[in-house]
Amino acid sequence: GSKELISTARAMTEVRAAEITRAAFLELCRWQPEIGVEVYRSVADILASRYRNTLTRLVGTLSQALRQGDVVANR
């Protein structure tokens, strides 16, 4: 599988972290499905938030472009 990093994070306070392999994580989810469900929910929440933020930025950009176009059209 790809080892490409697709996201980064920075701790705002002191933290303790552990790294597990993908295979170990998948095995853990097989034995404890509620862990997989919580990870799924967290990822879904993150993606929904990013989608919402993207739509908000796009609407703002479109609104600004329309206002600028209206100013040009009314000259």
Side-chain angles (χ1 to χ4, degrees):
S2 173
K3 302 256 182 199
E4 185 177 332
L5 185 64
I6 61 169
S7 186
T8 59
R10 186 172 300 214
M12 303 210 33
T13 62
E14 187 174 326
V15 298
R16 294 175 110 188
E19 180 180 357
I20 64 172
T21 65
R22 179 180 188 273
F25 177 71
L26 292 174
E27 185 66 22
L28 177 64
C29 290
R30 275 193 275 285
W31 285 98
Q32 299 289 323
E34 63 274 7
I35 291 173
V37 169
E38 287 304 316
V39 169
Y40 174 81
R41 284 184 181 143
S42 294
V43 170
D45 287 345
I46 290 166
L47 293 175
S49 176
R50 289 180 181 179
Y51 181 67
R52 215 173 9 259
N53 290 340
T54 298
L55 288 178
T56 300
R57 284 196 318 270
L58 287 172
V59 167
T61 301
L62 179 59
S63 294
Q64 182 180 6
L66 290 173
R67 281 192 305 274
Q68 288 174 349
D70 189 42
V71 169
V72 171
N74 288 325
R75 285 188 181 181

